[in-house]
Amino acid sequence: MIEKQLNDFLWWQKEIVYQIYPRSYKDTNGDGIGDLKGIREKLDHIKDLGINVVWISPIYPSPMADFGYDVSDYTGIHPMFGTMEDFDELLAAIHDKGMKLILDYVPNHSSSEHQWFKDSRRSKDDPKRDWYIWKDPAPDGGPPNNWLSVFGGSAWEYDETTNQYYYHAFLKEQPDLNWRNPEVKKAMFDVLRFWMDKGVDGFRVDVMWHMIKDEQFRDNPPNPDYTEDKSPYDKHLQAYTTDQPEVLDLVKEMRKVTDEYDERLIIGEIYLPVEQLVMYYGDNNNGAHLPFNFQLVLIPWKAAEIKAVIDKYEGALPAEAWPNWVLGNHDQSRLATRIGTEQARNAAILLLTLRGTPTIYYGEEIGMQDVHIPPEMVKDPQEKNIPGKGLGRDPERTPMQWDSTEYAGFSDKEPWLPLMENYKKINVEQEKDDENSMLSFYQKLIALRQKELSFSNWKI
Ligand code: GLC
Ligand code: CA
């Protein structure tokens, strides 16, 4: 086994990624919603932890039907988060500190308010018609096939202007782009270039495995393991809607675009079994640098299961593919709630000592927990559409807890989602001075990881 020198590694192999959900990090203008200036204000919190890579969930103009994952302008900044100038200042501040910035890129679907879709739905002859996925009704007038939306109901929405249906894997406000159309590819790759020209260091690609659908639009087969407690989306196996063979070529093309620039990173959001997941590395690593590995989020927290998952993942990785590990994100119940506060510490040890690049979701470093959201305060469309099954994602999206003041130092106004009840105990300010706190624990662990190469297993 060759032990490599630190210099031989690319920046994203050496660093830790920190995910910020921008609505909930820090509000600087008193509207109860986090913003870009807020992130800039708090960069030292991240830097002091020893973390150098920040990934920010979408900050683009959006009607916010899915809280930013419905983009109406891929090269703008939502006024709620600030201006393009604020963005440039944030990026400069990040680079000044020797840190990197990863943006969320949402290529599978735009907002229905995007000008492209407005044009597309206008008429069958519009030059943008084929930029989205339009189909005639079935003979009975119903949807063209049985495909279901992740957020409940059919994935097809009837549009009476042209008497056709359009496909949306998520909300009807999130029509899927047609990536088989070369013009779409060109326009969307230019979006990547726009941000890379500004100096953005990489992208987390939203639902990468969804990007291409079956060309023949065949019905999905039933899922024999479906039970009523699951999301209705799970009634089918996604045989023809996700992980289609052509998507891997598309990922390689996307990688070529980032390779026009030096050292830019592509992280793919992919929920698939390990054997399929590792295909997204491409051949000889010409695909995504880091197809997100969610195994530790998805398994029951039992030693034998954890061991099996680690062995299987390491065993499945293609030659020279760089591993990565994730414990939480804005779509998953918080770690401390899922497995308990004590186990959350063990999980942090695992995350930060396993071979590969770790991703930390904001707030995990202080042990934030899911916050109970009363029905009348629910914001997440997934909970609204499929209530009562525990699918809501608001609980893990609540404001960052900075201190013990009225709104936890997040804002001076009532925040958009409620704060955790015990935020006066669990917050950055309190935990800083307590050497037994979760924050101190993370700090020490990360320091150790940086000092002792063997703790991060920087070997191949
Ligand atoms: C991804 C995002 C999730 C969003 C969905 C649709 O899974 O992480 O938050 O709702 O894509 O864009
Ligand atoms: Ca604000």
Side-chain angles (χ1 to χ4, degrees), residues 100-163:
K100 306 275 187 186
L101 177 64
I102 307 293
L103 286 186
D104 220 305
Y105 174 61
V106 191
N108 179 68
H109 45 268
S110 73
S111 160
S112 52
E113 293 300 307
H114 197 296
Q115 191 57 46
W116 297 342
F117 188 70
K118 289 186 186 166
D119 293 346
S120 184
R121 84 192 310 178
R122 200 175 293 147
S123 91
K124 285 185 182 170
D125 306 323
D126 193 277
K128 293 278 187 314
R129 183 64 170 185
D130 185 51
W131 282 40
Y132 292 84
I133 300 168
W134 292 96
K135 290 289 278 181
D136 283 333
D140 68 355
N145 66 21
N146 75 351
W147 293 356
L148 295 173
S149 155
V150 176
F151 290 153
S154 170
W156 294 98
E157 178 73 9
Y158 180 70
D159 199 47
E160 57 188 15
T161 319
T162 52
N163 187 30

Side-chain angles (χ1 to χ4, degrees), residues 147-155 167-171 174 207 209-210 231-234 238 242 381-382 385-386 391 393:
W147 293 356
L148 295 173
S149 155
V150 176
F151 290 153
S154 170
Y167 176 72
H168 57 91
F170 295 88
L171 298 173
Q174 296 167 295
V207 297
W209 82 117
H210 272 261
S231 163
Y233 178 67
D234 294 328
Q238 300 302 317
T242 62
Q382 177 151 263
N385 291 358
I386 315 171
L391 297 172
R393 299 167 298 175

Side-chain angles (χ1 to χ4, degrees), residues 27-29 31 33-35 80:
D27 172 28
T28 57
N29 65 345
D31 63 357
I33 298 172
D35 40 58
M80 180 194 287

